[in-house]
Short mmCIF file of all heavy atoms in Angstrom, two decimals:
data_model
loop_
_atom_site.label_atom_id
_atom_site.label_comp_id
_atom_site.label_asym_id
_atom_site.label_seq_id
_atom_site.Cartn_x
_atom_site.Cartn_y
_atom_site.Cartn_z
N MET A 14 -11.40 20.56 -3.41
CA MET A 14 -11.47 19.11 -3.32
C MET A 14 -10.41 18.45 -4.19
O MET A 14 -9.85 17.40 -3.84
CB MET A 14 -12.86 18.62 -3.73
CG MET A 14 -13.17 17.21 -3.33
SD MET A 14 -13.15 16.94 -1.55
CE MET A 14 -14.84 16.71 -1.22
N GLU A 15 -10.11 19.07 -5.34
CA GLU A 15 -9.10 18.51 -6.21
C GLU A 15 -7.70 18.59 -5.59
O GLU A 15 -6.88 17.69 -5.77
CB GLU A 15 -9.07 19.27 -7.56
CG GLU A 15 -10.28 19.00 -8.42
CD GLU A 15 -11.41 19.96 -8.10
OE1 GLU A 15 -11.22 20.94 -7.36
OE2 GLU A 15 -12.53 19.72 -8.60
N ILE A 16 -7.45 19.65 -4.80
CA ILE A 16 -6.16 19.81 -4.12
C ILE A 16 -6.00 18.70 -3.11
O ILE A 16 -4.91 18.11 -2.96
CB ILE A 16 -6.03 21.19 -3.50
CG1 ILE A 16 -6.01 22.24 -4.62
CG2 ILE A 16 -4.77 21.29 -2.64
CD1 ILE A 16 -6.05 23.67 -4.11
N LEU A 17 -7.04 18.36 -2.38
CA LEU A 17 -7.02 17.28 -1.40
C LEU A 17 -6.69 15.94 -2.10
O LEU A 17 -5.89 15.15 -1.60
CB LEU A 17 -8.35 17.17 -0.67
CG LEU A 17 -8.47 16.04 0.36
CD1 LEU A 17 -7.50 16.26 1.50
CD2 LEU A 17 -9.89 15.97 0.88
N LEU A 18 -7.29 15.73 -3.26
CA LEU A 18 -7.05 14.50 -4.01
C LEU A 18 -5.59 14.45 -4.49
O LEU A 18 -4.95 13.35 -4.42
CB LEU A 18 -8.00 14.41 -5.22
CG LEU A 18 -8.04 13.08 -5.92
CD1 LEU A 18 -8.51 11.97 -5.00
CD2 LEU A 18 -8.95 13.17 -7.12
N ILE A 19 -5.05 15.56 -4.90
CA ILE A 19 -3.64 15.58 -5.34
C ILE A 19 -2.71 15.30 -4.17
O ILE A 19 -1.74 14.53 -4.26
CB ILE A 19 -3.30 16.92 -5.99
CG1 ILE A 19 -4.04 17.06 -7.33
CG2 ILE A 19 -1.82 17.10 -6.20
CD1 ILE A 19 -3.95 18.43 -7.96
N ILE A 20 -2.99 15.88 -3.00
CA ILE A 20 -2.15 15.64 -1.82
C ILE A 20 -2.21 14.17 -1.42
O ILE A 20 -1.17 13.54 -1.13
CB ILE A 20 -2.60 16.57 -0.67
CG1 ILE A 20 -2.27 18.00 -1.01
CG2 ILE A 20 -1.94 16.16 0.65
CD1 ILE A 20 -2.87 19.02 -0.04
N ILE A 21 -3.40 13.59 -1.41
CA ILE A 21 -3.56 12.17 -1.03
C ILE A 21 -2.82 11.29 -2.04
O ILE A 21 -2.16 10.32 -1.70
CB ILE A 21 -5.03 11.79 -0.93
CG1 ILE A 21 -5.66 12.51 0.26
CG2 ILE A 21 -5.20 10.30 -0.77
CD1 ILE A 21 -7.17 12.38 0.33
N SER A 22 -2.90 11.66 -3.32
CA SER A 22 -2.23 10.86 -4.38
C SER A 22 -0.73 10.87 -4.17
O SER A 22 -0.06 9.86 -4.27
CB SER A 22 -2.56 11.43 -5.75
OG SER A 22 -3.93 11.36 -5.99
N ILE A 23 -0.14 12.07 -3.88
CA ILE A 23 1.29 12.18 -3.69
C ILE A 23 1.73 11.38 -2.45
O ILE A 23 2.75 10.67 -2.46
CB ILE A 23 1.71 13.66 -3.60
CG1 ILE A 23 1.52 14.35 -4.96
CG2 ILE A 23 3.15 13.80 -3.09
CD1 ILE A 23 1.68 15.82 -4.91
N LEU A 24 0.97 11.48 -1.38
CA LEU A 24 1.26 10.72 -0.16
C LEU A 24 1.18 9.21 -0.41
O LEU A 24 2.03 8.44 0.05
CB LEU A 24 0.33 11.11 0.98
CG LEU A 24 0.52 12.49 1.59
CD1 LEU A 24 -0.57 12.80 2.58
CD2 LEU A 24 1.89 12.58 2.25
N LEU A 25 0.20 8.81 -1.16
CA LEU A 25 0.00 7.37 -1.45
C LEU A 25 1.18 6.86 -2.32
O LEU A 25 1.72 5.76 -2.05
CB LEU A 25 -1.32 7.16 -2.18
CG LEU A 25 -1.82 5.75 -2.33
CD1 LEU A 25 -1.93 5.06 -0.99
CD2 LEU A 25 -3.18 5.75 -3.02
N ILE A 26 1.60 7.63 -3.28
CA ILE A 26 2.76 7.24 -4.11
C ILE A 26 4.01 7.12 -3.26
O ILE A 26 4.77 6.16 -3.38
CB ILE A 26 2.95 8.25 -5.28
CG1 ILE A 26 1.82 8.10 -6.28
CG2 ILE A 26 4.28 8.05 -5.95
CD1 ILE A 26 1.76 9.22 -7.31
N ALA A 27 4.23 8.10 -2.37
CA ALA A 27 5.38 8.06 -1.52
C ALA A 27 5.39 6.87 -0.57
O ALA A 27 6.44 6.21 -0.40
CB ALA A 27 5.50 9.37 -0.71
N ILE A 28 4.28 6.55 -0.01
CA ILE A 28 4.17 5.41 0.92
C ILE A 28 4.38 4.11 0.20
O ILE A 28 5.06 3.19 0.69
CB ILE A 28 2.79 5.44 1.66
CG1 ILE A 28 2.75 6.59 2.62
CG2 ILE A 28 2.55 4.14 2.36
CD1 ILE A 28 3.70 6.50 3.77
N VAL A 29 3.85 3.95 -1.02
CA VAL A 29 4.03 2.71 -1.77
C VAL A 29 5.48 2.54 -2.16
O VAL A 29 6.02 1.44 -2.11
CB VAL A 29 3.13 2.72 -3.02
CG1 VAL A 29 3.49 1.62 -3.99
CG2 VAL A 29 1.67 2.57 -2.62
N ILE A 30 6.18 3.63 -2.49
CA ILE A 30 7.62 3.54 -2.81
C ILE A 30 8.42 3.13 -1.59
O ILE A 30 9.41 2.41 -1.69
CB ILE A 30 8.10 4.88 -3.40
CG1 ILE A 30 7.51 5.07 -4.80
CG2 ILE A 30 9.61 4.95 -3.47
CD1 ILE A 30 7.79 6.40 -5.39
N LEU A 31 7.99 3.55 -0.40
CA LEU A 31 8.72 3.21 0.82
C LEU A 31 8.59 1.75 1.25
O LEU A 31 9.38 1.26 2.03
CB LEU A 31 8.26 4.09 2.00
CG LEU A 31 8.72 5.54 1.95
CD1 LEU A 31 8.07 6.30 3.10
CD2 LEU A 31 10.20 5.63 2.05
N GLN A 32 7.55 1.07 0.76
CA GLN A 32 7.33 -0.30 1.16
C GLN A 32 8.45 -1.21 0.68
O GLN A 32 8.99 -1.03 -0.41
CB GLN A 32 5.99 -0.81 0.61
CG GLN A 32 4.82 -0.27 1.33
CD GLN A 32 3.52 -0.87 0.82
OE1 GLN A 32 3.46 -1.45 -0.27
NE2 GLN A 32 2.48 -0.70 1.57
N SER A 33 8.79 -2.19 1.50
CA SER A 33 9.79 -3.16 1.10
C SER A 33 9.21 -4.08 0.06
O SER A 33 8.02 -4.33 0.00
CB SER A 33 10.29 -3.96 2.30
OG SER A 33 9.20 -4.72 2.84
N ASN A 34 10.09 -4.66 -0.73
CA ASN A 34 9.68 -5.56 -1.79
C ASN A 34 9.32 -6.93 -1.24
O ASN A 34 10.17 -7.71 -0.90
CB ASN A 34 10.78 -5.66 -2.83
CG ASN A 34 10.31 -6.38 -4.07
OD1 ASN A 34 9.14 -6.72 -4.19
ND2 ASN A 34 11.23 -6.61 -4.98
N LYS A 35 8.01 -7.21 -1.11
CA LYS A 35 7.58 -8.49 -0.53
C LYS A 35 7.65 -9.61 -1.53
O LYS A 35 7.65 -10.77 -1.14
CB LYS A 35 6.16 -8.32 -0.02
CG LYS A 35 6.04 -7.40 1.13
CD LYS A 35 4.61 -7.23 1.60
CE LYS A 35 4.53 -6.19 2.67
NZ LYS A 35 3.17 -5.94 3.09
N ALA A 36 7.75 -9.31 -2.81
CA ALA A 36 7.78 -10.34 -3.82
C ALA A 36 9.20 -10.59 -4.32
O ALA A 36 9.39 -11.09 -5.43
CB ALA A 36 6.87 -9.94 -4.97
N GLU A 37 10.17 -10.22 -3.52
CA GLU A 37 11.56 -10.36 -3.98
C GLU A 37 11.96 -11.80 -4.22
O GLU A 37 12.85 -12.10 -4.98
CB GLU A 37 12.48 -9.69 -2.99
CG GLU A 37 12.48 -10.32 -1.62
CD GLU A 37 13.21 -9.50 -0.60
OE1 GLU A 37 13.60 -8.37 -0.89
OE2 GLU A 37 13.40 -10.00 0.52
N SER A 38 11.31 -12.73 -3.51
CA SER A 38 11.67 -14.13 -3.69
C SER A 38 10.71 -14.87 -4.65
O SER A 38 10.78 -16.08 -4.76
CB SER A 38 11.68 -14.83 -2.34
OG SER A 38 10.41 -14.76 -1.73
N ALA A 39 9.85 -14.15 -5.31
CA ALA A 39 8.90 -14.81 -6.25
C ALA A 39 9.62 -15.44 -7.43
O ALA A 39 9.26 -16.53 -7.87
CB ALA A 39 7.88 -13.78 -6.73
N SER A 40 10.66 -14.79 -7.91
CA SER A 40 11.40 -15.41 -9.02
C SER A 40 12.13 -16.68 -8.57
O SER A 40 12.26 -17.62 -9.32
CB SER A 40 12.40 -14.40 -9.59
OG SER A 40 13.36 -14.04 -8.63
N SER A 41 12.58 -16.71 -7.33
CA SER A 41 13.24 -17.88 -6.81
C SER A 41 12.22 -19.03 -6.67
O SER A 41 12.58 -20.19 -6.83
CB SER A 41 13.85 -17.59 -5.45
OG SER A 41 14.86 -16.65 -5.58
N ALA A 42 10.97 -18.70 -6.34
CA ALA A 42 9.95 -19.72 -6.21
C ALA A 42 9.63 -20.35 -7.55
O ALA A 42 9.42 -21.54 -7.65
CB ALA A 42 8.71 -19.15 -5.58
N ILE A 43 9.61 -19.52 -8.57
CA ILE A 43 9.33 -20.04 -9.91
C ILE A 43 10.47 -20.94 -10.36
O ILE A 43 10.26 -21.99 -10.97
CB ILE A 43 9.11 -18.86 -10.91
CG1 ILE A 43 7.82 -18.15 -10.56
CG2 ILE A 43 9.06 -19.37 -12.33
CD1 ILE A 43 7.62 -16.86 -11.34
N LEU A 44 11.67 -20.53 -10.03
CA LEU A 44 12.83 -21.32 -10.39
C LEU A 44 13.09 -22.48 -9.47
O LEU A 44 13.96 -23.31 -9.69
CB LEU A 44 14.09 -20.43 -10.47
CG LEU A 44 14.04 -19.31 -11.48
CD1 LEU A 44 15.24 -18.43 -11.35
CD2 LEU A 44 13.90 -19.85 -12.88
N GLY A 45 12.35 -22.51 -8.32
CA GLY A 45 12.48 -23.62 -7.39
C GLY A 45 13.60 -23.45 -6.37
O GLY A 45 14.03 -24.41 -5.79
N GLY A 46 14.00 -22.23 -6.15
CA GLY A 46 15.16 -22.01 -5.27
C GLY A 46 14.85 -21.61 -3.85
O GLY A 46 15.72 -21.58 -3.03
N ASN A 47 13.57 -21.33 -3.53
CA ASN A 47 13.27 -20.81 -2.22
C ASN A 47 12.08 -21.55 -1.64
O ASN A 47 11.00 -21.53 -2.20
CB ASN A 47 12.99 -19.31 -2.31
CG ASN A 47 12.95 -18.66 -0.97
OD1 ASN A 47 13.07 -19.32 0.05
ND2 ASN A 47 12.80 -17.37 -0.96
N ASP A 48 12.27 -22.16 -0.48
CA ASP A 48 11.18 -22.87 0.19
C ASP A 48 10.44 -22.01 1.18
O ASP A 48 9.39 -22.40 1.68
CB ASP A 48 11.73 -24.10 0.94
CG ASP A 48 12.29 -25.12 -0.02
OD1 ASP A 48 11.86 -25.15 -1.19
OD2 ASP A 48 13.18 -25.89 0.42
N GLU A 49 10.92 -20.82 1.45
CA GLU A 49 10.31 -19.96 2.45
C GLU A 49 9.32 -18.95 1.86
O GLU A 49 8.90 -18.05 2.57
CB GLU A 49 11.40 -19.22 3.19
CG GLU A 49 12.34 -20.12 3.98
CD GLU A 49 13.39 -19.31 4.72
OE1 GLU A 49 13.20 -18.12 4.87
OE2 GLU A 49 14.37 -19.93 5.14
N LEU A 50 8.96 -19.08 0.62
CA LEU A 50 8.06 -18.12 0.01
C LEU A 50 6.73 -18.07 0.71
O LEU A 50 6.17 -17.01 0.93
CB LEU A 50 7.88 -18.41 -1.49
CG LEU A 50 6.88 -17.53 -2.21
CD1 LEU A 50 7.42 -16.07 -2.24
CD2 LEU A 50 6.64 -18.02 -3.61
N PHE A 51 6.17 -19.22 1.05
CA PHE A 51 4.87 -19.24 1.65
C PHE A 51 4.89 -19.30 3.18
O PHE A 51 3.90 -19.56 3.81
CB PHE A 51 4.05 -20.42 1.09
CG PHE A 51 3.87 -20.28 -0.39
CD1 PHE A 51 4.56 -21.09 -1.28
CD2 PHE A 51 3.00 -19.35 -0.90
CE1 PHE A 51 4.40 -20.97 -2.63
CE2 PHE A 51 2.84 -19.20 -2.27
CZ PHE A 51 3.54 -20.03 -3.14
N ALA A 52 6.03 -19.07 3.75
CA ALA A 52 6.14 -18.99 5.20
C ALA A 52 5.45 -17.71 5.70
O ALA A 52 5.49 -16.70 5.05
CB ALA A 52 7.59 -19.01 5.64
N HIS A 53 4.85 -17.82 6.85
CA HIS A 53 4.14 -16.67 7.38
C HIS A 53 5.16 -15.68 7.98
O HIS A 53 5.86 -16.00 8.92
CB HIS A 53 3.15 -17.09 8.46
CG HIS A 53 2.07 -17.97 7.92
ND1 HIS A 53 1.10 -17.50 7.09
CD2 HIS A 53 1.83 -19.30 8.08
CE1 HIS A 53 0.27 -18.47 6.78
NE2 HIS A 53 0.70 -19.61 7.37
N ARG A 54 5.17 -14.50 7.40
CA ARG A 54 6.01 -13.42 7.91
C ARG A 54 5.14 -12.34 8.51
O ARG A 54 4.29 -11.80 7.83
CB ARG A 54 6.85 -12.82 6.79
CG ARG A 54 8.00 -13.65 6.35
CD ARG A 54 8.80 -12.93 5.30
NE ARG A 54 8.83 -11.50 5.44
CZ ARG A 54 9.15 -10.67 4.47
NH1 ARG A 54 9.46 -11.11 3.30
NH2 ARG A 54 9.17 -9.36 4.69
N LYS A 55 5.31 -12.08 9.76
CA LYS A 55 4.54 -11.02 10.39
C LYS A 55 5.26 -9.69 10.23
O LYS A 55 6.47 -9.60 10.37
CB LYS A 55 4.34 -11.32 11.88
CG LYS A 55 3.42 -12.47 12.14
CD LYS A 55 3.06 -12.54 13.57
CE LYS A 55 2.05 -13.64 13.78
NZ LYS A 55 1.50 -13.63 15.09
N GLU A 56 4.46 -8.69 9.92
CA GLU A 56 5.03 -7.36 9.78
C GLU A 56 5.16 -6.76 11.20
O GLU A 56 4.29 -6.91 12.02
CB GLU A 56 4.13 -6.49 8.94
CG GLU A 56 4.05 -6.98 7.52
CD GLU A 56 3.09 -6.19 6.70
OE1 GLU A 56 2.16 -5.58 7.29
OE2 GLU A 56 3.19 -6.19 5.48
N ARG A 57 6.25 -6.08 11.41
CA ARG A 57 6.51 -5.47 12.71
C ARG A 57 7.05 -4.06 12.54
O ARG A 57 7.70 -3.76 11.55
CB ARG A 57 7.50 -6.30 13.51
CG ARG A 57 6.97 -7.66 13.85
CD ARG A 57 7.83 -8.33 14.88
NE ARG A 57 7.21 -9.55 15.32
CZ ARG A 57 7.67 -10.77 15.07
NH1 ARG A 57 8.80 -10.90 14.46
NH2 ARG A 57 7.03 -11.82 15.51
N GLY A 58 6.79 -3.23 13.50
CA GLY A 58 7.37 -1.90 13.57
C GLY A 58 6.96 -1.02 12.41
O GLY A 58 5.78 -0.86 12.13
N SER A 59 7.93 -0.42 11.76
CA SER A 59 7.65 0.55 10.69
C SER A 59 6.98 -0.09 9.49
O SER A 59 6.19 0.52 8.79
CB SER A 59 8.95 1.24 10.26
OG SER A 59 9.84 0.30 9.74
N GLU A 60 7.28 -1.38 9.23
CA GLU A 60 6.64 -2.09 8.11
C GLU A 60 5.13 -2.19 8.31
O GLU A 60 4.36 -2.02 7.38
CB GLU A 60 7.26 -3.46 8.00
CG GLU A 60 7.11 -4.11 6.68
CD GLU A 60 7.88 -5.41 6.61
OE1 GLU A 60 9.10 -5.35 6.47
OE2 GLU A 60 7.26 -6.47 6.72
N LEU A 61 4.73 -2.46 9.54
CA LEU A 61 3.31 -2.53 9.87
C LEU A 61 2.63 -1.18 9.73
O LEU A 61 1.53 -1.06 9.18
CB LEU A 61 3.13 -3.08 11.29
CG LEU A 61 1.70 -3.22 11.81
CD1 LEU A 61 0.94 -4.25 10.93
CD2 LEU A 61 1.70 -3.64 13.25
N ILE A 62 3.29 -0.13 10.21
CA ILE A 62 2.75 1.24 10.10
C ILE A 62 2.59 1.64 8.64
O ILE A 62 1.56 2.19 8.26
CB ILE A 62 3.64 2.24 10.87
CG1 ILE A 62 3.58 1.93 12.37
CG2 ILE A 62 3.23 3.65 10.57
CD1 ILE A 62 4.60 2.72 13.18
N ILE A 63 3.57 1.35 7.82
CA ILE A 63 3.52 1.71 6.42
C ILE A 63 2.39 0.96 5.71
O ILE A 63 1.67 1.53 4.88
CB ILE A 63 4.89 1.47 5.74
CG1 ILE A 63 5.88 2.53 6.23
CG2 ILE A 63 4.76 1.54 4.22
CD1 ILE A 63 7.28 2.31 5.75
N THR A 64 2.22 -0.33 6.03
CA THR A 64 1.15 -1.08 5.42
C THR A 64 -0.22 -0.56 5.80
O THR A 64 -1.11 -0.41 4.95
CB THR A 64 1.27 -2.57 5.87
OG1 THR A 64 2.55 -3.07 5.46
CG2 THR A 64 0.18 -3.44 5.21
N ARG A 65 -0.41 -0.24 7.07
CA ARG A 65 -1.68 0.31 7.52
C ARG A 65 -1.94 1.67 6.93
O ARG A 65 -3.06 1.99 6.54
CB ARG A 65 -1.72 0.36 9.04
CG ARG A 65 -1.90 -1.01 9.65
CD ARG A 65 -2.00 -0.92 11.16
NE ARG A 65 -2.13 -2.26 11.68
CZ ARG A 65 -2.08 -2.54 12.98
NH1 ARG A 65 -1.89 -1.56 13.85
NH2 ARG A 65 -2.24 -3.77 13.42
N LEU A 66 -0.91 2.51 6.86
CA LEU A 66 -1.05 3.83 6.29
C LEU A 66 -1.40 3.75 4.82
O LEU A 66 -2.21 4.55 4.31
CB LEU A 66 0.24 4.64 6.50
CG LEU A 66 0.21 6.13 6.20
CD1 LEU A 66 -0.86 6.81 7.03
CD2 LEU A 66 1.56 6.75 6.48
N THR A 67 -0.85 2.78 4.10
CA THR A 67 -1.19 2.60 2.69
C THR A 67 -2.67 2.25 2.52
O THR A 67 -3.35 2.77 1.65
CB THR A 67 -0.33 1.46 2.07
OG1 THR A 67 1.02 1.80 2.24
CG2 THR A 67 -0.63 1.27 0.61
N ALA A 68 -3.17 1.36 3.38
CA ALA A 68 -4.57 0.98 3.31
C ALA A 68 -5.47 2.16 3.63
O ALA A 68 -6.49 2.38 2.96
CB ALA A 68 -4.83 -0.19 4.26
N ILE A 69 -5.11 2.92 4.62
CA ILE A 69 -5.90 4.08 5.03
C ILE A 69 -5.95 5.13 3.92
O ILE A 69 -7.01 5.67 3.56
CB ILE A 69 -5.39 4.65 6.36
CG1 ILE A 69 -5.69 3.70 7.50
CG2 ILE A 69 -6.03 6.02 6.66
CD1 ILE A 69 -4.96 4.03 8.80
N LEU A 70 -4.76 5.44 3.38
CA LEU A 70 -4.69 6.44 2.29
C LEU A 70 -5.45 5.97 1.06
O LEU A 70 -6.10 6.75 0.37
CB LEU A 70 -3.25 6.77 1.96
CG LEU A 70 -2.52 7.67 2.92
CD1 LEU A 70 -1.04 7.78 2.54
CD2 LEU A 70 -3.14 9.04 2.96
N GLY A 71 -5.39 4.68 0.78
CA GLY A 71 -6.11 4.12 -0.36
C GLY A 71 -7.62 4.25 -0.17
O GLY A 71 -8.35 4.61 -1.10
N ALA A 72 -8.09 3.99 1.03
CA ALA A 72 -9.52 4.11 1.35
C ALA A 72 -9.96 5.57 1.25
O ALA A 72 -11.01 5.89 0.69
CB ALA A 72 -9.82 3.55 2.70
N ILE A 73 -9.15 6.48 1.77
CA ILE A 73 -9.45 7.92 1.73
C ILE A 73 -9.52 8.38 0.28
O ILE A 73 -10.39 9.14 -0.13
CB ILE A 73 -8.46 8.74 2.55
CG1 ILE A 73 -8.64 8.44 4.06
CG2 ILE A 73 -8.61 10.23 2.30
CD1 ILE A 73 -7.60 9.06 4.93
N PHE A 74 -8.53 7.94 -0.55
CA PHE A 74 -8.51 8.27 -1.94
C PHE A 74 -9.79 7.82 -2.65
O PHE A 74 -10.42 8.56 -3.41
CB PHE A 74 -7.31 7.63 -2.60
CG PHE A 74 -7.13 7.92 -4.06
CD1 PHE A 74 -6.56 9.10 -4.50
CD2 PHE A 74 -7.58 7.02 -5.03
CE1 PHE A 74 -6.43 9.37 -5.85
CE2 PHE A 74 -7.47 7.30 -6.37
CZ PHE A 74 -6.88 8.48 -6.78
N PHE A 75 -10.21 6.60 -2.38
CA PHE A 75 -11.42 6.05 -2.97
C PHE A 75 -12.65 6.85 -2.55
O PHE A 75 -13.49 7.20 -3.40
CB PHE A 75 -11.57 4.56 -2.56
CG PHE A 75 -12.76 3.91 -3.20
CD1 PHE A 75 -12.77 3.58 -4.54
CD2 PHE A 75 -13.84 3.56 -2.39
CE1 PHE A 75 -13.86 2.95 -5.11
CE2 PHE A 75 -14.92 2.93 -2.95
CZ PHE A 75 -14.94 2.62 -4.31
N ILE A 76 -12.73 7.20 -1.29
CA ILE A 76 -13.88 7.94 -0.78
C ILE A 76 -13.95 9.33 -1.35
O ILE A 76 -15.01 9.81 -1.76
CB ILE A 76 -13.87 7.94 0.77
CG1 ILE A 76 -14.14 6.56 1.32
CG2 ILE A 76 -14.89 8.95 1.32
CD1 ILE A 76 -13.85 6.41 2.80
N VAL A 77 -12.81 9.99 -1.41
CA VAL A 77 -12.74 11.35 -2.01
C VAL A 77 -13.14 11.32 -3.48
O VAL A 77 -13.87 12.20 -3.94
CB VAL A 77 -11.35 11.97 -1.81
CG1 VAL A 77 -11.20 13.26 -2.61
CG2 VAL A 77 -11.09 12.25 -0.33
N CYS A 78 -12.70 10.28 -4.20
CA CYS A 78 -13.09 10.15 -5.60
C CYS A 78 -14.61 9.98 -5.74
O CYS A 78 -15.24 10.56 -6.63
CB CYS A 78 -12.39 8.99 -6.28
SG CYS A 78 -10.64 9.30 -6.61
N LEU A 79 -15.19 9.17 -4.90
CA LEU A 79 -16.68 8.98 -4.93
C LEU A 79 -17.38 10.28 -4.59
O LEU A 79 -18.41 10.63 -5.20
CB LEU A 79 -17.08 7.88 -3.96
CG LEU A 79 -16.78 6.44 -4.41
CD1 LEU A 79 -17.16 5.46 -3.31
CD2 LEU A 79 -17.54 6.14 -5.69
N ILE A 80 -16.90 11.00 -3.60
CA ILE A 80 -17.55 12.29 -3.20
C ILE A 80 -17.46 13.26 -4.37
O ILE A 80 -18.44 13.97 -4.65
CB ILE A 80 -16.87 12.83 -1.94
CG1 ILE A 80 -17.26 11.95 -0.74
CG2 ILE A 80 -17.32 14.28 -1.68
CD1 ILE A 80 -16.52 12.29 0.53
N MET A 81 -16.30 13.32 -5.01
CA MET A 81 -16.14 14.25 -6.14
C MET A 81 -17.08 13.90 -7.29
O MET A 81 -17.53 14.77 -8.02
CB MET A 81 -14.69 14.27 -6.61
CG MET A 81 -13.77 15.03 -5.68
SD MET A 81 -12.06 15.01 -6.24
CE MET A 81 -12.19 15.78 -7.86
N GLU A 82 -17.32 12.62 -7.50
CA GLU A 82 -18.19 12.20 -8.57
C GLU A 82 -19.65 12.58 -8.35
O GLU A 82 -20.33 12.99 -9.27
CB GLU A 82 -18.08 10.66 -8.74
CG GLU A 82 -18.95 10.09 -9.81
CD GLU A 82 -18.53 10.50 -11.22
OE1 GLU A 82 -17.35 10.77 -11.40
OE2 GLU A 82 -19.40 10.55 -12.09
N PHE A 83 -20.10 12.50 -7.12
CA PHE A 83 -21.52 12.75 -6.84
C PHE A 83 -21.82 14.16 -6.42
O PHE A 83 -22.94 14.54 -6.24
CB PHE A 83 -22.03 11.76 -5.79
CG PHE A 83 -22.03 10.34 -6.31
CD1 PHE A 83 -21.23 9.40 -5.71
CD2 PHE A 83 -22.82 9.99 -7.37
CE1 PHE A 83 -21.23 8.10 -6.18
CE2 PHE A 83 -22.85 8.68 -7.81
CZ PHE A 83 -22.04 7.75 -7.24
N VAL A 84 -20.79 14.99 -6.22
CA VAL A 84 -21.01 16.38 -5.80
C VAL A 84 -20.86 17.31 -6.96
O VAL A 84 -20.44 17.18 -7.97
CB VAL A 84 -20.07 16.78 -4.66
CG1 VAL A 84 -20.13 18.25 -4.39
CG2 VAL A 84 -20.39 16.00 -3.43
#
């Protein structure tokens, strides 16, 4: 079970590193330079897949941790 947790952890780290920086314009918003910060941006293609995969791996990680605690 520990090996499964390590594999999931490595995959989760790799997927998070692959994600694009969504807060890249946050500093511009603080400085007042960007009006598009709160515009709705829809994720498409590989960005959507990576976001969903991150959520799935995070949920699996959480569930495996709970199983390991109670078993």
Side-chain angles (χ1 to χ4, degrees):
M14 195 63 108
E15 290 87 10
I16 295 173
L17 178 64
L18 190 62
I19 291 171
I20 292 171
I21 293 171
S22 300
I23 291 170
L24 289 174
L25 192 57
I26 290 168
I28 290 295
V29 168
I30 290 173
L31 286 175
Q32 286 183 343
S33 63
N34 189 5
K35 294 178 184 175
E37 62 191 9
S38 60
S40 63
S41 297
I43 292 172
L44 299 175
N47 192 356
D48 294 335
E49 297 181 16
L50 176 65
F51 298 107
H53 296 290
R54 283 184 32 199
K55 290 192 176 188
E56 295 175 337
R57 294 192 173 114
S59 63
E60 201 173 284
L61 180 63
I62 293 171
I63 289 174
T64 302
R65 287 183 180 171
L66 191 57
T67 303
I69 291 169
L70 284 173
I73 292 172
F74 180 83
F75 183 72
I76 291 168
V77 169
C78 286
L79 285 177
I80 290 172
M81 286 179 57
E82 178 68 28
F83 294 116
V84 171

